[in-house]
C-alpha cells in the first residue's frame, strides 16, 4: 500500500538511508550479496553476507540434503536464510532463521554456478589489482633509485675492492631522491653511459587507463561519474556528456534494483 511504502521509506531514512545503501553496495561489490531484515518496529538492519547461509528446497527431491556441487535438483529454490552472528560458524548460539518475505536479498550479478546467490564483480578484477600494485612498486623504485639517470660506469685498472668502494661512494653521494639533480663528478672512470628511461617511455599512462576502464566496465559506473583519468579530459567534461552518463547510471543501475 502507498501508506505502508511511505512508512517504510521514512524508517529507512531515519536509520541513515544513504549510509545503509552505501553498505549494501559494498556488500554486493565484495561479497556478491546484500541482505536486509526488519527489526523492531519499522527499523531495517543489514546482515553481514559472510555470516548468511542459504536454505534451499525442492519439490522434485523433497528429501534432498546433499552438497549442491554434487547434486542440484532443477527446481531448487531459496526458501530461507540462516544468519549466524558468531565468528566461528560452527557455534550456533544466537543463530536466526528468516523465511521468504522476512528478508530482502539483493544480488545484481548472479553466480553462474550457483544462481541463487550473487557473484562479486571486484573478484573478477584481482589480476588488474595485482598489476596496479606492481605499477605502484615500480614507480616507487623509480623515484627511490632512479630520480637521477641510471648510469653505467666503465673503468679500467680498478680491482674488486676499489670498484666496490667507488660504487658505494657513488650511491651515497648521488643515489635516491635526496640527491636529485646534483652535478656528477667522477675520477678513475673512462666512460659513463646513460641507460635510463622515463615514465613516457614505459607507458604507465596507458596501463593506468586500461585498468580504470576495466573497473568502470565491471562496476557499471560510467567513467565520467567514476572520475577516471581519461574521463577528466576532453569531451567527457562537457555538461551534456556528464548528464547523459548520470542518467545512464540512474536508469541502468539504480532503478531496476532500488
Amino acid at each position: 500500500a502507498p501508506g505502508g511504502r511511505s512508512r517504510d521509506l521514512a524508517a529507512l531514512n531515519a536509520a541513515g538511508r544513504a549510509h545503509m545503501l552505501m553498505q549494501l553496495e559494498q556488500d554486493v561489490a565484495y561479497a556478491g550479496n546484500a541482505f536486509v531484515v526488519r527489526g523492531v518496529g519499522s527499523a531495517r538492519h543489514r546482515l553481514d553476507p559472510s555470516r548468511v547461509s542459504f536454505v534451499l528446497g525442492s519439490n522434485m527431491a523433497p528429501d534432498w540434503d546433499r552438497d549442491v556441487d554434487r547434486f542440484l535438483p532443477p527446481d531448487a529454490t531459496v526458501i530461507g536464510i540462516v544468519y549466524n552472528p558468531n565468528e566461528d560458524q560452527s557455534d550456533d548460539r544466537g543463530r536466526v532463521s528468516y523465511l521468504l518475505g522476512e528478508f530482502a536479498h539483493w544480488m545484481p550479478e548472479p553466480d553462474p554456478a550457483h544462481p541463487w546467490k550473487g557473484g562479486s564483480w571486484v573478484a573478477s578484477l584481482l589480476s588488474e589489482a595485482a598489476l596496479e600494485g606492481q605499477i605502484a612498486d615500480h614507480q616507487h623504485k623509480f623515484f627511490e633509485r632512479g630520480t637521477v639517470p641510471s648510469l653505467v660506469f666503465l673503468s679500467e685498472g680498478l680491482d674488486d675492492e676499489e670498484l666496490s668502494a667507488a660504487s658505494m661512494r657513488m650511491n651515497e653521494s648521488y643515489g635516491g631522491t635526496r640527491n636529485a639533480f646534483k652535478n656528477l663528478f667522477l675520477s678513475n672512470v673512462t666512460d659513463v653511459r646513460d641507460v635510463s628511461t622515463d615514465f613516457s617511455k614505459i607507458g604507465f599512462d596507458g596501463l593506468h587507463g586500461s585498468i580504470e576502464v576495466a573497473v568502470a566496465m565491471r562496476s557499471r559506473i560510467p567513467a565520467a561519474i567514476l572520475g577516471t583519468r581519461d574521463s577528466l579530459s576532453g569531451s567527457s567534461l562537457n555538461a551534456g556528456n556528464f548528464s547523459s552518463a548520470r542518467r545512464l547510471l540512474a536508469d541502468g543501475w539504480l532503478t531496476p534494483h532500488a
Side-chain angles (χ1 to χ4, degrees):
R5 178 178 174 83
S6 298
R7 287 192 296 271
D8 289 345
L9 289 177
L12 189 58
N13 283 323
R17 184 168 184 255
H19 180 71
M20 176 171 283
L21 290 177
M22 182 176 294
Q23 284 188 308
L24 297 181
E25 197 283 327
Q26 290 176 337
D27 286 344
V28 298
Y30 293 99
N33 303 277
F35 300 91
V36 176
V37 296
R38 187 189 300 271
V40 178
S42 298
R44 300 292 185 271
H45 300 290
R46 161 193 168 271
L47 299 182
D48 182 352
S50 66
R51 305 188 183 202
V52 175
S53 301
F54 290 92
V55 179
L56 304 180
S58 169
N59 292 324
M60 299 177 62
D63 297 329
W64 166 53
D65 60 354
R66 299 169 61 183
D67 188 343
V68 295
D69 291 326
R70 296 185 178 182
F71 178 77
L72 182 64
D75 68 333
T77 185
V78 176
I79 60 175
I81 60 173
V82 176
Y83 177 72
N84 190 337
N86 303 294
E87 182 179 2
D88 181 5
Q89 291 296 289
S90 62
D91 185 356
D92 60 359
R93 290 176 297 178
R95 189 169 59 182
V96 183
S97 299
Y98 297 95
L99 299 177
L100 291 179
E102 298 178 342
F103 67 94
H105 177 209
W106 181 29
M107 55 167 186
E109 298 188 16
D111 186 331
H114 308 96
W116 60 87
K117 64 179 182 179
S120 168
W121 66 264
V122 173
S124 65
L125 295 172
L126 293 180
S127 59
E128 284 80 1
L131 177 59
E132 182 72 19
Q134 293 174 350
I135 292 175
D137 290 341
H138 191 104
Q139 291 175 327
H140 176 73
K141 290 300 181 182
F142 184 94
F143 284 110
E144 179 182 352
R145 299 179 178 176
T147 303
V148 295
S150 300
L151 304 174
V152 173
F153 297 90
L154 304 178
S155 62
E156 296 178 357
L158 296 180
D159 56 26
D160 292 342
E161 183 176 351
E162 292 173 334
L163 183 60
S164 177
S167 63
M168 183 178 299
R169 186 178 64 177
M170 183 63 61
N171 289 330
E172 291 178 353
S173 301
Y174 299 101
T177 55
R178 67 183 185 280
N179 295 314
F181 307 112
K182 289 177 62 176
N183 293 326
L184 184 63
F185 299 94
L186 302 174
S187 62
N188 296 327
V189 174
T190 59
D191 191 12
V192 178
R193 297 180 183 178
D194 183 3
V195 294
S196 65
T197 186
D198 55 35
F199 284 166
S200 63
K201 295 178 182 178
I202 298 175
F204 278 144
D205 288 342
L207 289 174
H208 278 298
S210 63
I211 295 173
E212 290 177 345
V213 168
V215 172
M217 292 180 62
R218 291 297 295 118
S219 66
R220 292 190 285 178
I221 305 297
I225 303 295
L226 199 58
T228 63
R229 183 180 307 178
D230 292 341
S231 70
L232 298 177
S233 61
S235 60
S236 299
L237 292 178
N238 293 342
N241 291 344
F242 183 82
S243 298
S244 299
R246 186 176 58 180
R247 187 74 263 168
L248 177 64
L249 173 63
D251 292 343
W253 172 243
L254 296 177
T255 302
H257 306 291

